[in-house]
Amino acid sequence: TEKDYIICNYNIRYYNGTNDSNNKGDKAWPKRRAKVFEMIRNYDMDVCGLEEVTSTMASDITQQLSAYKYIGYGRDNGGLHGAGATGEQTGLIFKKSRFEALDNGRFFLSNTPDKVSKVTNSNFNRMVAWVKLRDKQTAKEFYFFATHFDNDYDAKHVTVRSQQADIAIAKVPEIAGNLPYFFVGDFNCETSEVAYEKLSTAFTDSYLVMGEK
């Protein structure tokens, strides 16, 4: 019988070495990574968006999660992991046994989405990474998109996230065309924000749909 997809998102927390006071002790990636991978396996995730991934973390993912394919893009140059990516990566994993990647890419949450760029006042370059998947059992095809909206919660960055939502709302359906799609991420966003209102109008909030499930 055809199984449901277990679709997830997981910000695994940026790690840039123990010289950073925010990465010492139990917060250090070498202390956390086994638990991160254990959670992914225990929940039997089929596809999962990943945020705040460094090149070191991405290498650990590809080595330790052998059942999954990792695709990630660096925000500093837009490069693909394993092909010159620089900067923190927005990425995703999917089960190699169940899915085949037909296409993948990324776009920046800016007015020039094909170029390395950001909207005015965004703290960092932000992007959406995506993959087109085919289910090996059913031959069904769908798109999966993962993102990381800008941080900080003052009025300026509330506006930034609203602008990033506008760009995503335009680009995601354009790329997906007539195929179904999932759009996940760390939206850094309260439900009271305009960005959430826009996203929940354009897309269906799975948290609300699933309810107590």
Side-chain angles (χ1 to χ4, degrees), residues 7-24:
I7 303 292
C8 301
N9 188 74
Y10 196 176
N11 182 328
I12 63 172
R13 194 174 185 279
Y14 183 83
Y15 177 70
N16 61 355
T18 53
N19 289 333
D20 184 334
S21 61
N22 291 320
N23 286 299
K24 291 183 182 298

Side-chain angles (χ1 to χ4, degrees), residues 157-206:
H157 290 93
V158 167
T159 299
V160 165
R161 285 188 288 278
S162 177
Q163 293 171 323
Q164 291 171 337
D166 288 335
I167 296 160
I169 287 165
K171 290 288 292 183
V172 165
E174 176 188 310
I175 292 170
N178 294 323
L179 288 177
Y181 56 85
F182 299 93
F183 180 38
V184 306
D186 179 352
F187 296 100
N188 271 320
C189 187
E190 300 291 340
T191 55
S192 58
E193 284 190 27
V194 174
Y196 174 79
E197 294 174 8
K198 290 178 175 180
L199 291 168
S200 61
T201 299
F203 307 124
T204 302
D205 184 344
S206 61

